[in-house]
Amino acid sequence: MLKNLRNKFLSLCHVTRRLHIETKFGKNSFQIISKISKTSHKYPYLWLRDNCKCSKCYNYVADEIDIDLSKISDNIRPSKIESIDQKTFSVLWNDGHESQYDLEILYNFSLKSLHQLKTSKKHWNKDIIGKLGVPKFNYIDYLNNDSTLRSSLESIKINGAVIIEGVSANSNEISNLCKRIGPIQNSHFGADCLVTNSLSFKDRAYTNLSLKAHTDTVYLKNSAGIEIFHVLKPAESGGESLLVDGFYCAQQLKENHPNDFEILRKLDVEFNFLKEGVYDLRHHGPVIELDKLGNFVQIRFNPYHKVNLDHLPFNDICDYYKAMRNFSKIIQNESNENWISLRQDQVLLFDNFRILHGRAAFTGHRTLITVYISRDDYLSKANVLGI
């Protein structure tokens, strides 16, 4: 039956080239090809049928899918395909159902999402980031212009960090800044955490001691996504902030110590935060997490919290310590450290899944407010803005 529709398919492909999107229909599949991104993907016809947005298949009041896949055969096929206009085509299915499709919407559901997975990140060390510094944006523009918000979040996605300037030195501003992205992620530290050297919380951060590069909340399944720092009162001396690109360091480990990289990628260890009678937080996972494509997802690295290895075989424990020793040396190498002195009018946002942070020792009284935004909320806003 598809052979009889060959001319209509060719006409449809010709029309859609004006949008730089080409469609191809085969015996068992449907293909979308983007001429701009030079990407393509093939789908079974069941996928195309599942993406029907007619009133019978989609509840527009609830904005939800309303398709019962148990009633659609795996052998669903087009009986007739017609081009409606430059970007719309209709399908009469062999079960009698009729659908209309917008090619741009199909592209957004398919090739665009695949392309976003390939968005390049710029891994950096001190020399690379030192040439341009952490990207900076104006606070008023950030609050009022979606284009500035988009550029800010894109900078976090690419570089891992961004600084917003021109912020008043009061504790309320950080909440306004967060609202542009999403709600504050609550934790055992509280929603917004005031960090001073007063030992109000039993944690090294609440002293005037230095802090080695680390990521926060490694012991939580849903670790903090975006971390935000605002120095309300700087120290008399010292207290500079340290940033290290964990993905860059992990790549260095992979290139120079591939066996150690594999150990930290594969071994399932227990990260925990234990305060007797108060907290017992635990999460199992690798130090270096990758996705199915081999891209870096998250670095869980915090030398101040115990990692439980009791469940591992003897040789794995030995391998883990060797691998962590080499990874620590790379992270603590001065060539990978980017030190910055945050002013009172500056707010630092960084990706806690990627960027390790630390602090220099200081004298005097220092007040910093820090909050978290969940990774889900950050990625949701980024997707909405087309990043």
Side-chain angles (χ1 to χ4, degrees), residues 2-269:
L2 287 172
K3 290 182 179 179
N4 297 331
L5 297 173
R6 185 184 300 261
N7 291 335
K8 291 184 181 296
F9 297 160
L10 293 176
S11 175
L12 181 59
C13 292
H14 175 74
V15 170
T16 56
R17 283 196 183 98
R18 299 178 189 177
L19 294 174
H20 305 286
I21 302 170
E22 182 179 349
T23 58
K24 290 184 178 180
F25 295 84
K27 181 179 179 180
N28 299 309
S29 62
F30 164 80
Q31 188 174 17
I32 302 178
I33 304 167
S34 171
K35 298 295 186 179
I36 296 178
S37 62
K38 296 182 180 179
T39 53
S40 66
H41 205 73
K42 184 167 65 174
Y43 297 93
Y45 281 120
L46 183 57
W47 176 88
L48 188 62
R49 175 66 183 84
D50 185 41
N51 278 280
C52 177
K53 287 295 185 72
C54 76
S55 58
K56 294 179 180 179
C57 297
Y58 199 89
N59 187 323
Y60 284 89
V61 175
D63 197 19
E64 293 177 342
I65 297 170
D66 200 10
I67 292 179
D68 186 352
L69 286 177
S70 67
K71 297 180 179 178
I72 301 178
S73 169
D74 285 339
N75 296 319
I76 192 75
R77 298 288 186 275
S79 295
K80 184 179 181 181
I81 300 173
E82 290 186 334
S83 176
I84 297 175
D85 53 36
Q86 291 184 1
K87 66 172 186 173
T88 312
F89 65 94
S90 66
V91 176
L92 174 63
W93 298 99
N94 57 2
D95 64 356
H97 188 80
E98 294 186 43
S99 304
Q100 286 190 9
Y101 297 96
D102 185 305
L103 279 170
E104 288 182 299
I105 293 176
L106 286 178
Y107 169 74
N108 289 336
F109 279 139
S110 56
L111 292 185
K112 186 177 180 181
S113 61
L114 289 172
H115 179 63
Q116 285 177 335
L117 291 174
K118 300 176 183 178
T119 299
S120 60
K121 294 179 173 63
K122 294 181 180 179
H123 300 169
W124 51 262
N125 60 9
K126 181 172 66 176
D127 289 339
I128 296 172
I129 196 71
K131 293 178 181 178
L132 298 175
V134 177
K136 297 177 177 64
F137 297 90
N138 177 267
Y139 181 52
I140 299 300
D141 292 338
Y142 171 91
L143 289 181
N144 299 310
N145 299 329
D146 283 348
S147 60
T148 303
L149 175 64
R150 187 187 188 283
S151 296
S152 301
L153 297 188
E154 188 172 37
S155 292
I156 294 176
K157 190 170 186 178
I158 294 173
N159 302 293
V162 70
I163 291 175
I164 306 299
E165 298 184 313
V167 185
S168 300
N170 68 72
S171 58
N172 296 324
E173 295 295 352
I174 202 167
S175 177
N176 295 329
L177 191 147
C178 286
K179 289 176 183 177
R180 289 288 279 153
I181 304 174
I184 293 174
Q185 180 182 359
N186 207 347
S187 74
H188 49 293
F189 293 111
D192 51 351
C193 181
L194 204 63
V195 181
T196 66
N197 50 312
S198 61
L199 282 176
S200 58
F201 194 90
K202 286 189 176 182
D203 191 285
R204 188 182 177 92
Y206 291 79
T207 70
N208 63 351
L209 300 174
S210 63
L211 291 172
K212 296 177 182 178
H214 64 282
T215 55
D216 275 3
T217 61
V218 295
Y219 40 77
L220 297 180
K221 180 180 180 180
N222 296 315
S223 300
I226 300 300
E227 190 156 359
I228 305 177
F229 285 170
H230 188 188
V231 178
L232 301 179
K233 178 177 172 37
E236 291 179 6
S237 64
E240 294 85 0
S241 295
L242 167 65
L243 299 179
V244 176
D245 187 347
F247 290 175
Y248 179 88
C249 293
Q251 184 63 36
Q252 293 300 302
L253 183 71
K254 182 178 181 180
E255 293 174 3
N256 297 302
H257 305 280
N259 292 335
D260 293 336
F261 177 84
E262 287 301 307
I263 289 295
L264 298 185
R265 180 184 73 84
K266 292 180 178 179
L267 277 189
D268 190 58
V269 300

